[in-house]
Amino acid sequence: RGESINKTVDDQDVIRLYDFHSGQILKVLNPKNSDDLLTVSFSDDGKYLVSSSEDHSIHIWDLETVLSADNPEPFYTIRDNNYYQRPRAVQMFKHADDYRIVSADFGSSFKVVSLYSLFEKRVINSYKAGDRLQFLAMSDRYI
């Protein structure tokens, strides 16, 4: 186990999960076929990790599965070139029996905030912006 972690520890396009108290690396996640990892964040309940890359993808990692797997893979990948050109900021939250993913795209010609339903596996709402989008902030009522 330690050997596979050490092989990728210097790669900048991997995600490292650390134990907060010990500082030890628990897992290294490699979002294969991803160019330049852009952002990562946990769902508000800590069940999932969501990451985005310049290859127009958003990966969702089930942490329980990740921690028990020898070679963890994303639970689900969202790839939709109509909505996700360069998903710079991504947040995930639980909504009723669903999880929702909010992304902010900062492509030069396609600037959009999208709301994706993991249960429905589709974009359920989007907002085209005039400005370059790089960050997201969320509350229980606002994005």
Side-chain angles (χ1 to χ4, degrees):
R1 189 172 123 177
E3 187 176 317
S4 66
I5 289 174
N6 290 334
K7 285 182 184 177
T8 58
V9 79
D10 290 330
D11 189 346
Q12 292 183 5
D13 290 323
V14 298
I15 302 164
R16 294 169 194 83
L17 289 179
Y18 290 88
D19 179 273
F20 183 77
H21 297 289
S22 71
Q24 297 295 314
I25 295 176
L26 299 174
K27 287 289 176 179
V28 175
L29 310 179
N30 186 357
K32 297 177 179 90
N33 301 323
S34 293
D35 300 327
D36 297 328
L37 189 63
L38 294 172
T39 187
V40 296
S41 66
F42 288 100
S43 61
D44 55 358
D45 63 0
K47 180 175 172 62
Y48 295 106
L49 180 73
V50 62
S51 65
S52 69
S53 303
E54 290 231 26
D55 71 348
H56 308 222
S57 66
I58 296 172
H59 295 296
I60 299 151
W61 307 82
D62 180 319
L63 290 175
E64 185 177 323
T65 303
V66 160
L67 292 172
S68 63
D70 289 334
N71 295 307
E73 297 284 331
F75 159 73
Y76 184 71
T77 297
I78 302 168
R79 184 171 283 119
D80 184 340
N81 291 339
N82 292 320
Y83 289 95
Y84 304 108
Q85 299 298 309
R86 292 176 78 193
R88 178 65 175 180
V90 178
Q91 297 283 326
M92 184 177 198
F93 62 96
K94 187 162 175 121
H95 177 75
D97 291 334
D98 191 9
Y99 282 86
R100 303 283 173 89
I101 297 100
V102 178
S103 69
D105 189 310
F106 79 117
S108 60
S109 63
F110 198 81
K111 303 167 186 85
V112 66
V113 174
S114 298
L115 179 63
Y116 189 91
S117 165
L118 187 57
F119 178 76
E120 296 179 37
K121 308 269 191 282
R122 68 178 186 90
V123 172
I124 57 175
N125 206 349
S126 65
Y127 168 76
K128 291 187 180 182
D131 300 315
R132 187 174 167 175
L133 305 170
Q134 293 190 46
F135 305 101
L136 285 172
M138 291 177 36
S139 73
D140 60 344
R141 293 185 59 201
Y142 305 106
I143 299 169

